[in-house]
Each structure stands twice: as structure tokens, then as C-alpha cells.
Amino acid sequence: MATNVIRYRHAGQTRWGVVEGGILKPIEGEFATTRDFMLNGVERIDSGEGLNESGPPLSDVEVLCPITEDRQFLCQAINYRTHMLESGLDPDASPFNIFFRKASSCLAPADTDIVKPAHVEFLDYEVEIGLVFSRDVSEPTEVRTDNLHDYVGALVLLNDVSARDVQLPEMQFYKGKSYRTFGPAGPYLTLVTREDLARFDSLRLELSVNGETRQDSLASDMVHKPAATLTELSSFQSWEAGDILATGTPGGCALQAPPKPIMMLAQIMSPKRRQKLIRRAGQKNPRRLEAGDLVEASVRTDDGKIDLGRQRNRVAGS
């Protein structure tokens, strides 16, 4: 059964605790990083030892980002059929799994303000499911659906906030997606079992802006599934317990593919001209994020048995 854990601050101390039915149950011990917690804290929950039955009221604690900044923030791009289609790509003709990274310094608590840099005209949202690793992997490894739980110990709700007018014309996924606060995570670190991961495709990703639903999709729309993705990832890089992999976003983003003639014209433009074109398009796009907007996101199964929580982020100007 999925277990929701928070990393929190109370009375000057940073702790971890299980949330059950609105009750916070502190976990004995100090776990400075998400890696420490995945390697040593999870076993205390599994054994029942070191888990207090009551703690401070949830309303009295500061909920922190469950992923600490020392962890790798790995990502998959255009990994949902609906997002491929709105990006002007044919899912059946796009066989490659595309990986990139975000700076870990963009990680932020689930309720933090998203700070829009002054030079960014086209700010976008992307609700995603993050896989949190439970063990270190330093060599090519075959990950299968039946042993996925040996490598993925938790899931986390993410918003892959993106400055499209930096990401696309500058060809800078890393820069355009890594400004500080561009990675709200949590509120929960949702510990999962083999049975929970077997229901991965039933997770529903939803995101709204100012109450208007923008994204609503099941994870079954994902093209490159977790097991095959981790097998491929392990073939060229190592990871550690507590690192995360954001698995892509479904359709419904503010960014939509322009008509083909404009796309072809953009390919022969200089990067500076392309950036001006994208910024002009962004200024006319009613779906782009602006200061004052409220972004709400959630990931859960329809029966609520797996629930990664809800994010509420206000967009603020820099």
C-alpha cells in the first residue's frame, strides 16, 4: 500500500514523518538527505520501529521539498503521445527516448511561488510524475516490470516549469527549465510497493491555471515506460538512491506547434530572430503563465488509493 511521507520543519528541527488521515507520525532518526532517507528511513516505516503514533498538527509544520538539492534531477522529454502531437511530432515516427537534466537548485516546496524571470515572455507548465530511486546503480542493468519496485522506491508530483523562449531558440533545455523555483516537488514522497507500481498506468495527471483545467491524462498515454526507460538510462549513466527521474508531461501545455510553414521558416532563421518570433507568439498566447496566475496540479489514481498530493503555486514576477 502506498505511504505518504513528508519532509518538514518544526521547532527548529528538520524531520521526516508519515501522513495518515491528516495525522502526522514522526519517524525517529535524522536523515539529512533524500538519499539517507531512502536507504535508512524507509526501513523504519516497514518495520514499524521508530515510528511515533502522533506528532505536531500538520497545520503547525512547514512542509519542505521532499527531494534535497544534492540529488540528480533527471528528465524525459516529450514522452506522452498527446504532448508529441501538440508539439508537431508523430509518436509513431519518434522512437527515441530523449533525456535531459534540470539543475537541482530549481527544486522547491510544493506550495512555493514560481518566480518568473524578468526577461522571460513565454512561461509554461508541465505536470509530471517523478520516479525516486531506492538503490544505487553503477552499471548497465535490466529493469523489468516485475522488478521495477527494486529500483523505484517512491513517486513524487513535479511541475517541470519551462521558459520556452529560452529553451527553444537557445536550444537550452537545461537553462530554460532550471531557473530557481522551476521545479516544485511534493508535497509527499509517496513510497510505493510492487502492487502500487503495477497500477502506474492508472495514475491521473491534472493541472489547472486559475481554475481552468489545462492538463488531464492517464499515465497510460506515456510512450517510454519506466522499466524500459531505466534499462536504457543505466546503459550510459549511474544514479543513486534519492535521485529522481521526471517522466514527461501529457498534452495541454501552453506551447503548441505553429503551422508547418512557420515551423519551416523558423528553422532557417538565426537564433536571435527565432527568439523574437517565439517571444512575440508567447505575448499573444492566452495560455502562457503570467504574474498572479495560480497553478494547481495533482497526480492520483481515480480511486484515491495512490495520491501524490496537490500543489498550489502562485506565479510571481522577479
Side-chain angles (χ1 to χ4, degrees):
M1 182 178 70
T3 302
N4 285 334
V5 174
I6 61 169
R7 178 171 166 260
Y8 67 94
R9 185 178 293 120
H10 181 255
Q13 291 187 313
T14 298
R15 301 282 299 277
W16 295 80
V18 173
V19 177
E20 286 183 4
I23 304 298
L24 176 60
K25 298 182 177 182
I27 302 164
E28 291 293 337
E30 293 186 9
F31 310 102
T33 66
T34 307
R35 172 178 168 77
D36 290 344
F37 179 74
M38 294 302 294
L39 291 176
N40 304 303
V42 173
E43 62 187 26
R44 299 201 174 191
I45 301 172
D46 293 340
S47 68
E49 297 179 7
L51 182 63
N52 297 328
E53 284 305 307
S54 62
L58 274 170
S59 56
D60 289 353
V61 307
E62 178 188 357
V63 180
L64 305 174
C65 180
I67 310 298
T68 49
E69 285 193 20
D70 62 313
R71 298 295 85 214
Q72 294 188 92
F73 194 163
L74 311 171
C75 307
Q76 289 173 270
I78 49 175
N79 192 34
Y80 280 71
R81 294 183 66 86
T82 48
H83 187 42
M84 284 186 175
L85 290 169
E86 72 182 4
S87 301
L89 301 173
D90 177 0
D92 298 321
S94 305
F96 301 115
N97 205 344
I98 300 173
F99 297 93
F100 67 98
R101 291 184 65 165
K102 286 172 74 91
S104 299
S105 54
C106 79
L107 286 163
D111 61 353
T112 195
D113 284 352
I114 296 168
V115 179
K116 176 180 173 293
H119 64 281
V120 170
E121 295 286 352
F122 197 164
L123 190 66
D124 208 347
Y125 47 81
E126 294 188 5
V127 61
E128 305 201 10
I129 301 167
L131 309 181
V132 185
F133 302 132
S134 55
R135 62 161 65 178
D136 298 354
V137 167
S138 57
E139 62 184 6
T141 302
E142 182 186 2
V143 182
R144 305 179 307 275
T145 349
D146 63 346
N147 71 356
L148 180 63
H149 64 285
D150 290 333
Y151 301 92
V152 176
L155 304 177
V156 67
L157 168 61
L158 299 167
N159 188 348
D160 176 18
V161 181
S162 307
R164 302 297 193 192
D165 50 336
V166 175
Q167 171 197 345
L168 299 177
E170 295 185 23
M171 294 182 287
Q172 291 257 28
F173 268 68
Y174 186 76
K175 178 181 175 183
K177 290 172 171 279
S178 289
Y179 292 98
R180 290 169 185 83
T181 73
F182 274 28
Y188 303 133
L189 189 71
T190 300
L191 306 180
V192 286
T193 62
R194 179 205 297 259
E195 292 72 26
D196 296 322
L197 289 173
R199 301 192 64 202
F200 187 87
D201 279 358
S202 298
L203 288 166
R204 182 175 299 279
L205 300 85
E206 295 183 284
L207 182 140
S208 66
V209 179
N210 301 326
E212 176 194 7
T213 298
R214 299 285 183 84
Q215 295 181 281
D216 183 352
S217 173
L218 293 174
S220 56
D221 188 46
M222 190 180 289
V223 176
H224 301 285
K225 305 289 185 176
T229 292
L230 297 191
T231 299
E232 182 177 356
L233 184 65
S234 75
S235 72
F236 64 88
Q237 86 142 85
S238 301
W239 69 72
E240 292 184 342
D243 290 347
I244 57 171
L245 173 69
T247 53
T249 197
C253 295
L255 179 68
Q256 304 283 317
K260 285 189 178 180
I262 295 180
M263 285 183 70
M264 294 175 65
L265 180 62
Q267 295 303 313
I268 60 173
M269 286 182 177
S270 69
K272 281 287 188 183
R273 287 193 65 193
R274 193 180 308 126
Q275 187 171 57
K276 287 180 181 178
L277 178 67
I278 291 172
R279 284 183 171 160
R280 280 201 300 269
Q283 289 167 355
K284 297 174 184 177
N285 189 325
R287 296 167 66 87
R288 68 171 180 160
L289 294 178
E290 299 187 76
D293 284 344
L294 177 64
V295 184
E296 297 179 275
S298 65
V299 172
R300 65 193 297 273
T301 54
D302 288 343
D303 61 10
K305 291 186 177 178
I306 307 173
D307 188 344
L308 310 192
R310 190 169 190 85
Q311 295 184 356
R312 298 181 80 255
N313 307 104
R314 186 72 66 178
V315 179
S318 60

